[in-house]
């Protein structure tokens, strides 16, 4: 059995572990924290991602924790007027072969972890930070605490935006702050007045800000994300800062009453300073030698296309597919020679992924400028959305998948 080592136990790392064990690999996953956990925030899962998760046999488990929004509506944060809408529900499922789901990040993490444990074939190491690695012609050695070593045929760096695996592999610095802050909150819909409850995705667009809201946890909770321009004090690599509700209310005081009512109804916020890298420029940023990068370690992106977790899941699916089709998972006494195959297979993985990831990164940056536009640019945006409607909001190139 071939051995895949994974650094990082978030959504990307668990996805890679599940995809590789399903294909026949033995996996050793190393997570620096003492337990598997995810912070409380929502994720939008578009059809390109849902198809992969369903192919992994997760449809039933997901159905117990997701919400199925019926539409995506865009509204002016200033006037409250509707600017455009995209039908979700049965329409988007018919169009792309899978529904559009919204989910609590911790629930997706739990579904992946349970599936991985049920699948078998993976050894999960908690409280195991990876301090470095060394590649040879035949394997990769991970340096762990207390001078311990772990060896495998290849290493997947799924250790987030401030990836130490990437830093050693590429030595290209760290993600840079964008000057934008994300305030995130979850609130029980039962605690909200009826007029603030929602079963759809709503994006409120305004000058130098926008707010997105959508249901999670079977629709019982509402996820709210408000993004404004500003700076945060403290460690930029730590995303979960305490957010000040009064400060956010002050920042959004010129917005329409329905939006202000929603913001004022949320008592507690967590704060995340957005930091990114430029869109990928080559496959070198996705893999090198026996090391593959995945998710934010390879392509941290702004949340303006709702694809950060999605691209990590796509990375995992494509990586496992390339390894399986390339013979990596052949029995040890078979004809395949993983010693010579691995670097070439990871180059193929990089070729298949970097341009799509770069396009998503670039589109998210462009969307941010459009979402936060003012003056003539905002006027033009609103006119185009009114005239073209779903044609502007739909993303066939993305939702069809890989």
């Amino acid at each position: 059995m071939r051995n895949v080592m994974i650094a990082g136990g978030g959504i990307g790392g668990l996805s890679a572990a599940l995809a590789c064990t399903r294909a026949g690999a033995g996996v050793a996953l190393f997570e620096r924290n003492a337990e598997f956990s995810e912070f409380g925030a929502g994720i939008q899962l578009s059809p390109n991602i849902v198809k992969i998760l369903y192919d992994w046999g997760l449809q039933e488990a997901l159905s117990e924790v997701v919400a199925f929004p019926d539409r995506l509506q865009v509204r002016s944060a200033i006037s409250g007027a509707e600017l455009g809408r995209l039908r979700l529900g049965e329409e988007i499922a018919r169009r792309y072969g899978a529904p559009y789901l919204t989910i609590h990040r911790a629930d997706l993490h739990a579904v992946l972890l349970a599936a991985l444990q049920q699948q078998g074939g993976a050894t999960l190491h908690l409280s195991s930070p990876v301090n470095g690695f060394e590649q040879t012609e035949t394997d990769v050695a991970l340096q762990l605490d207390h001078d311990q070593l772990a060896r495998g045929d290849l290493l997947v760096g799924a250790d987030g935006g401030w990836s130490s695996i990437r830093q050693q592999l590429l030595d290209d610095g760290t993600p840079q702050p964008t000057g934008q802050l994300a305030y995130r909150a979850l609130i029980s819909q039962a605690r909200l007045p009826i007029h603030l409850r929602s079963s759809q995705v709503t994006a409120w667009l305004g000058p130098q800000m926008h707010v997105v809201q959508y249901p999670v946890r079977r629709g019982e909770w509402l996820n709210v994300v408000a993004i404004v321009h500003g700076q945060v004090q403290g460690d930029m690599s730590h995303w979960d800062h305490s957010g000040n509700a009064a400060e956010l209310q002050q920042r959004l005081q010129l917005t329409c009453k329905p939006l202000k009512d929603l913001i004022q109804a949320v008592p507690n916020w967590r704060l995340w300073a957005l930091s990114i890298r430029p869109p990928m420029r080559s496959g070198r940023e996705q893999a090198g030698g026996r090391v593959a990068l995945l998710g934010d370690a390879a392509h941290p992106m702004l949340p303006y296309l709702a694809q950060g977790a999605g691209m990590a899941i796509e990375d995992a699916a494509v990586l496992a597919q390339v390894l399986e089709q390339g013979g990596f998972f052949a029995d040890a006494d078979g004809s395949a020679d993983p010693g010579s195959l691995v670097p070439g297979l990871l180059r193929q993985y990089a070729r298949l992924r970097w341009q799509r990831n770069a396009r998503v990164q670039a589109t998210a940056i462009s969307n941010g400028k459009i979402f936060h536009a003012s003056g003539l640019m905002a006027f033009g945006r609103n006119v185009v959305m009114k005239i073209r409607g779903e044609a502007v909001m739909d993303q066939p190139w993305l939702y069809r998948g890989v």
Side-chain angles (χ1 to χ4, degrees):
M1 181 178 290
R2 306 309 177 194
N3 296 312
V4 175
M5 299 187 299
I6 299 173
I11 288 172
L14 292 182
S15 295
L18 180 59
C20 287
T21 55
R22 284 174 54 83
V27 168
L29 186 149
F30 301 88
E31 166 57 41
R32 68 168 50 251
N33 294 313
E35 61 182 14
F36 288 107
S37 63
E38 272 289 346
F39 294 106
I43 297 176
Q44 298 180 61
L45 296 175
S46 50
N48 51 305
I49 307 307
V50 176
K51 280 189 284 190
I52 293 172
L53 297 174
Y54 282 7
D55 285 345
W56 290 346
L58 304 182
Q59 182 171 355
E60 182 177 353
L62 287 171
S63 69
E64 297 178 358
V65 294
V66 300
F68 294 86
D70 54 4
R71 63 177 176 170
L72 191 165
Q73 181 187 46
V74 179
R75 298 178 66 175
S76 166
I78 306 304
S79 70
E82 181 179 277
L83 304 178
R85 67 172 63 182
L86 174 65
R87 290 169 294 168
L88 301 177
E90 294 181 359
E91 173 60 25
I92 203 132
R94 180 194 62 77
R95 193 178 304 171
Y96 295 112
Y100 195 110
L101 311 179
T102 50
I103 188 171
H104 191 294
R105 179 179 289 270
D107 291 340
L108 175 57
H109 192 271
V111 166
L112 291 168
L113 180 59
L116 179 61
Q117 292 171 328
Q118 183 177 6
Q119 171 68 32
T123 304
L124 308 178
H125 302 271
L126 295 170
S127 300
S128 298
V130 174
N131 300 319
F133 66 87
E134 182 178 351
Q135 301 192 60
T136 71
E137 291 185 0
T138 58
D139 67 5
V140 183
L142 280 190
Q143 301 158 8
L144 306 173
D145 282 350
H146 310 297
D147 296 324
Q148 293 183 331
L149 291 178
R151 294 186 177 275
D153 294 301
L154 65 88
L155 168 63
V156 178
D159 51 340
W162 274 259
S163 166
S164 62
I165 302 298
R166 179 186 181 124
Q167 189 59 30
Q168 182 177 339
L169 183 67
L170 300 178
D171 190 23
D172 61 350
T174 60
Q176 295 301 300
T178 62
Q180 297 172 40
L181 306 176
Y183 288 79
R184 297 177 178 266
L186 283 161
I187 186 168
S188 169
Q189 299 229 50
R191 293 181 56 188
L192 293 172
I194 292 177
H195 72 282
L196 293 180
R197 300 174 190 177
S198 178
S199 62
Q200 66 181 33
V201 181
T202 302
W204 305 80
L205 309 187
Q208 295 194 321
M209 57 74 59
H210 81 284
V211 177
V212 178
Q213 63 179 79
Y214 51 83
V216 296
R217 293 190 161 165
R218 300 168 301 279
E220 297 168 8
W221 288 73
L222 192 68
N223 182 76
V224 186
V225 182
I227 298 183
V228 299
H229 290 225
Q231 301 292 338
V232 69
Q233 300 299 316
D235 183 2
M236 297 295 289
S237 67
H238 178 59
W239 78 273
D240 192 31
H241 298 264
S242 177
N244 186 305
E247 180 180 325
L248 179 60
Q249 292 170 15
Q250 178 66 23
R251 287 177 178 271
L252 302 185
Q253 64 177 328
L254 297 181
T255 59
C256 63
K257 186 178 186 303
L259 180 53
K260 284 194 291 189
D261 287 348
L262 174 64
I263 299 301
Q264 290 171 0
V266 179
N268 299 305
W269 298 86
R270 306 304 298 178
L271 181 59
W272 178 19
L274 302 181
S275 298
I276 60 168
R277 295 180 183 274
M280 301 181 81
R281 293 173 290 268
S282 74
R284 180 176 175 270
E285 297 177 66
Q286 194 90 49
R290 291 177 169 273
V291 179
L293 298 177
L294 180 149
D296 284 350
H299 41 72
M301 58 186 64
L302 289 168
Y304 303 143
L305 197 55
Q307 290 291 319
M311 289 302 101
I313 294 169
E314 279 195 6
D315 282 349
V318 171
L319 175 63
Q321 182 180 51
V322 167
L323 293 175
E324 183 175 26
Q325 293 178 350
F328 174 78
F329 299 127
D331 291 339
D333 58 354
S335 59
D337 177 8
S340 61
L341 281 177
V342 171
L345 290 175
L346 295 190
R347 285 194 297 271
Q348 182 180 351
Y349 157 71
R351 284 195 299 270
L352 291 173
R353 290 303 301 158
W354 81 266
Q355 289 176 306
R356 180 169 170 86
N357 286 324
R359 183 175 182 184
V360 172
Q361 286 176 294
T363 304
I365 292 171
S366 176
N367 279 358
K369 297 175 182 177
I370 295 170
F371 288 4
H372 293 188
S374 59
L376 288 176
M377 185 175 180
F379 176 78
R381 173 199 67 201
N382 297 350
V383 169
V384 169
M385 293 194 72
K386 281 287 187 182
I387 294 174
R388 299 193 61 198
E390 286 199 352
V392 175
M393 299 173 63
D394 198 3
Q395 303 285 339
W397 67 271
L398 178 63
Y399 295 162
R400 289 194 184 106
V402 294

